[in-house]
Amino acid sequence: MDGLDARVPVISPRRPFRDWVSTFGALSWSGFRRYATYRQATIAGSFTNTVFGFLRCYVLLAVAAGAAGGRPGGYGAEQLASFVWVGQGLLTVVSLWGWTELADRIRSGDVAADLLRPVPPIVGYLAPDLGRAGHAMIFRFLPPLAVGALFFDLYAPSRWFTVPLFALSIVLAVVASLGLRFLVNATAYWLHDARGPIALWTLSAGVLAGLYFPLRFLPDWLAVLLWVATPFPGLLQTPLDVLVERDPAPVQLGLVALQAVWATALITAAVFVQRRAERRLVAQGG
Amino acid sequence: MSVIAMRGLRKDFTVRVGRGRLRREKRTVTAVDGIDLGIERGEMVGYIGPNGAGKSTTLKMLTGVLTPSAGEVSVCGLSPVPQRTRLALTIGVVFGQRSQLWWDLPLRDSFALLRHVYRVPAGAHAARLRRCRALLELDEFLDTPVRQLSLGQRMRGELTAALLHGPSVLFLDEPTIGLDVVSKQAVRSFLAELGGSGDVTMVLTTHDLADIERLCRRLVVIDHGRVVHDGTIEALHARYGSRRRLVVDLDAPLAPDFAVPGAELVALDAGGHRASFDLLSSVAGAVVAELTSLAAVRDLALVEPDIEDVVARLYRS
Ligand SMILES: Nc1ncnc2c1ncn2[C@@H]1O[C@H](COP(=O)(O)OP(=O)(O)OP(=O)(O)O)[C@@H](O)[C@H]1O
Ligand SMILES: [Mg+2]
């Protein structure tokens, strides 16, 4: 077969930046396409998120009505409604639950196929995950938000940079979430069965990321501790606080910067763990 | 320099075996036990052995997904594990039992994606894909998501995926497993054509020895992680004294003490009417002539030595 030999241009591992962008882009697009094939799951998921949106919204608005001064955690009623409805979409975008793909592939030995590609595994998971998040932004984020906007008064941001900052904050949340999920799943390299760590992650992510209640309802010292010492608030609470302008501009910016620090740290840790794992990797199955 | 070189290659697995309810004992399984092998550019090597011999384990070490316990290994001058992502650009791999395609995407999209992952120039990619589509008859299911493909269709897709970046070394672990006769033939003639150019080095494991007969000049047999034979199929036959067999149907029964030099009467069936001889040398003509003088020969068949038999004997020994 012509061209199937070593004379085909062998690409240097130091590929130019442009090549990397196109590889990354193609992988991201594959992630988008992949989720686009599951239409019924997308519709069912959106519907569920919307239903729970109503429940959460009525509960929080009742809390606000009963709170002294009507501003629990420093949020007004419109801000709380936005917090809920934007959060209902965002929780799928940042994939707060139910990602066990890497653990499953380690367990079955299919992870060997990931290693046979000329891209570092972490890139091979991050790029498609951003594509998945893009798909979720359109098909899981917008529908509940549209319904919420029909039935409730939502908060309209007043600062010009809030929306772009919110977008950046979402990207950082997705990256941090992938880093965390990768680390949790990677325990399967050592434990063979990552169900324990994954269950722990599912439990803590909901509470500590601010899904069940806004973390600002907690005493200040505890909220600060959560933000600085754990990556969880950066997954959901930070983007939401940014959008509803819960804090003055400098704090708003500072929260996103903190998110960036956590995202970098988590991806670095994931790369490190993957390297360690590969050194002792046992690819399962004949 | 050899394209593939292994020196003292070893892999030990530590397994924990439960003994009783609480105690667990560590045990070491040696899957590959000191393999020395050199494979030159353009060679097509059949790498065979019984179940659990260590074939897949060897291929995993050659492709960089498994770290050897000891020994040296190099493929295309690279050290597989540390230089894995670089090596990935120059090798093509098919592990028959697992998929390297994107499960949810149509085959066509997987191929398009591979072009970007491997940074293949569009022209070269299109040319190779056209070739594979024709030879492996992919067109029928090119738009079907991989998860909906039959095993044979998927395997043809896997082979294509392994080749689109123009690898100079191919590792195929049971590429014909579970395929029907027609698909097997399609895959074999495809690989034969690929190997015919002399540029692609190929290492193939299989339990279907017809694959080997069709494709591989060189046969490496391993057992318990060690090489027990390395050479041509003919050399294997010679070493194990495989013989051609002559089966003759006669009108009259043959006496059991019938003898012709160079032939050995091994069976007399059907009341002496059917005689089977192992031929030690080219004496079929002489045997038939001698028999004709005793009784009319109604039918005869000459059976070539069977590679399955030799290999079975080799595995058992
Ligand atoms: N991950 C693992 N952990 C423990 N032992 C393993 C592991 N993988 C393989 N082995 C052992 O190593 C030996 C060789 O396995 P391998 O998969 O290489 O065999 P094989 O020659 O490919 O066999 P088959 O023809 O059945 O595919 C077997 O005894 C197997 O039990
Ligand atoms: Mg095997």
Side-chain angles (χ1 to χ4, degrees):
Chain A
M1 189 158 177
D2 46 75
L4 277 178
D5 58 56
R7 279 166 296 177
V8 172
V10 172
I11 310 110
S12 140
R14 284 177 233 285
R15 302 183 215 176
F17 179 70
R18 196 170 50 87
D19 286 355
W20 267 112
V21 171
S22 106
T23 301
F24 199 92
L27 282 169
S28 296
W29 179 235
S30 80
F32 187 99
R33 290 266 320 192
R34 182 177 165 196
Y35 282 84
T37 60
Y38 292 106
R39 288 209 196 103
Q40 275 152 356
T42 304
I43 294 168
S46 271
F47 178 76
T48 313
N49 284 11
T50 307
V51 170
F52 277 91
F54 278 102
L55 298 179
R56 286 185 56 214
C57 200
Y58 285 124
V59 168
L60 277 188
L61 290 180
V63 169
R71 290 185 72 84
Y75 300 99
E78 289 180 354
Q79 282 172 312
L80 279 178
S82 284
F83 189 96
V84 168
W85 285 105
V86 174
Q88 281 307 98
L90 213 51
L91 80 92
T92 313
V93 174
V94 301
S95 188
L96 213 48
W97 293 316
W99 190 80
T100 58
E101 194 178 326
L102 175 63
D104 295 340
R105 288 176 72 80
I106 293 168
R107 212 171 128 75
S108 69
D110 284 344
V111 73
D114 301 336
L115 300 180
L116 288 170
R117 301 199 194 289
V119 262
I122 187 84
V123 175
Y125 279 94
L126 179 60
D129 200 61
L130 288 170
R132 178 201 59 73
H135 178 266
M137 272 310 279
I138 301 171
F139 296 101
R140 299 293 300 272
F141 176 85
L142 293 179
L145 187 58
V147 172
L150 271 181
F151 289 88
F152 297 88
D153 289 328
L154 300 184
Y155 180 82
S158 60
R159 299 170 200 150
W160 66 268
F161 57 83
T162 290
V163 171
L165 193 63
F166 174 60
L168 173 64
S169 178
I170 292 176
V171 173
L172 290 172
V174 173
V175 173
S177 151
L178 188 272
L180 259 175
R181 283 178 280 139
F182 194 99
L183 286 169
V184 171
N185 275 256
T187 54
Y189 280 121
W190 286 269
L191 305 178
H192 285 267
D193 186 352
R195 266 177 295 184
I198 287 172
L200 195 66
W201 143 258
T202 307
L203 206 70
S204 36
V207 182
L208 301 179
L211 179 68
Y212 298 151
F213 58 89
L215 298 176
R216 293 302 182 77
F217 286 11
L218 298 170
D220 276 351
W221 65 267
L222 187 52
V224 171
L225 187 71
L226 280 181
W227 247 277
V228 176
T230 83
F232 292 104
L235 302 183
L236 197 66
Q237 177 84 35
T238 299
L240 296 176
D241 278 351
V242 166
L243 184 69
V244 303
E245 297 173 340
R246 161 68 176 70
D247 306 288
V251 179
Q252 198 185 13
L253 286 168
L255 285 178
V256 176
L258 184 58
Q259 250 190 319
V261 171
W262 266 115
T264 313
L266 287 166
I267 293 295
T268 310
V271 169
F272 176 77
V273 165
Q274 175 67 24
R275 267 206 212 123
R276 286 297 296 265
E278 281 169 23
R279 222 173 301 151
R280 63 170 300 285
L281 173 68
V282 171
Q284 305 288 330
Chain B
M1 198 186 74
S2 304
V3 171
I4 301 170
M6 297 170 245
R7 218 162 323 127
L9 189 62
R10 242 187 110 81
K11 182 70 200 180
D12 300 314
F13 290 108
T14 310
V15 287
R16 292 204 171 76
V17 273
R19 288 174 68 86
R21 218 175 295 158
L22 289 172
R23 286 201 318 156
R24 295 195 123 202
E25 214 164 73
K26 272 192 183 183
R27 206 159 49 86
T28 302
V29 178
T30 302
V32 172
D33 191 6
I35 288 191
D36 299 287
L37 217 53
I39 295 173
E40 305 304 318
R41 179 179 157 90
E43 268 194 296
M44 291 176 85
V45 177
Y47 195 64
I48 68 169
N51 291 133
K55 305 180 294 295
S56 299
T57 306
T58 313
L59 290 201
K60 283 178 192 164
M61 289 191 281
L62 290 173
T63 51
V65 300
L66 196 62
T67 313
S69 307
E72 285 164 42
V73 53
S74 92
V75 177
C76 300
L78 300 172
S79 183
V81 172
Q83 294 173 295
R84 194 189 66 235
T85 41
R86 212 167 137 204
L87 180 66
L89 291 168
T90 60
I91 63 173
V93 187
V94 173
F95 282 116
Q97 296 95 327
R98 53 180 97 259
S99 181
Q100 295 182 66
L101 299 164
W102 283 265
W103 209 234
D104 298 304
L105 299 184
L107 214 43
R108 189 193 293 280
D109 293 23
S110 279
F111 295 153
L113 186 52
L114 284 168
R115 178 169 91 72
H116 293 285
V117 169
Y118 285 89
R119 301 297 317 151
V120 187
H125 183 269
R128 289 186 198 122
L129 184 54
R130 215 175 308 120
R131 223 34 214 288
C132 290
R133 276 168 65 172
L135 288 171
L136 292 170
E137 294 169 21
L138 303 175
D139 285 5
E140 230 175 280
F141 47 88
L142 212 48
D143 292 305
T144 312
V146 172
R147 66 184 132 88
Q148 291 168 12
L149 295 180
S150 82
L151 177 63
Q153 293 171 335
R154 205 202 80 212
M155 281 310 298
R156 285 183 267 167
E158 301 276 352
L159 267 173
T160 306
L163 290 170
L164 287 174
H165 56 288
S168 56
V169 180
L170 272 182
F171 295 103
L172 308 170
D173 193 353
E174 307 196 37
T176 56
I177 190 170
L179 301 193
D180 69 25
V181 188
V182 179
S183 297
K184 265 188 191 173
Q185 271 167 1
V187 167
R188 276 178 206 146
S189 43
F190 177 73
L191 293 177
E193 183 170 338
L194 201 64
S197 69
D199 289 323
V200 182
T201 311
M202 217 181 284
V203 179
L204 170 97
T205 85
T206 182
H207 289 295
D208 186 340
L209 296 169
D211 291 344
I212 305 286
E213 277 185 304
R214 173 75 205 276
L215 295 170
C216 304
R217 285 284 307 143
R218 181 173 170 195
L219 187 64
V220 174
V221 186
I222 66 162
D223 196 5
H224 294 107
R226 288 207 190 93
V227 176
V228 293
H229 174 83
D230 182 358
T232 59
I233 294 175
E234 291 75 34
L236 191 64
H237 284 309
R239 180 169 152 199
Y240 281 85
S242 311
R243 296 153 187 178
R244 291 189 301 162
R245 173 164 294 189
L246 178 68
V247 183
V248 188
D249 285 342
L250 299 161
D251 261 346
L254 187 69
D257 59 352
F258 174 85
V260 174
E264 187 184 335
L265 180 62
V266 289
L268 260 183
D269 306 305
H273 286 273
R274 167 170 290 183
S276 305
F277 300 90
D278 271 356
L279 304 178
L280 307 182
S281 50
S282 309
V283 293
V287 176
V288 173
E290 190 74 20
L291 285 169
T292 322
S293 69
L294 295 172
V297 171
R298 229 187 300 151
D299 200 2
L300 59 84
L302 194 57
V303 185
E304 290 297 321
D306 189 5
I307 181 173
E308 306 258 352
D309 288 340
V310 200
V311 170
R313 256 187 285 165
L314 187 59
Y315 287 180
R316 253 178 266 131
S317 64

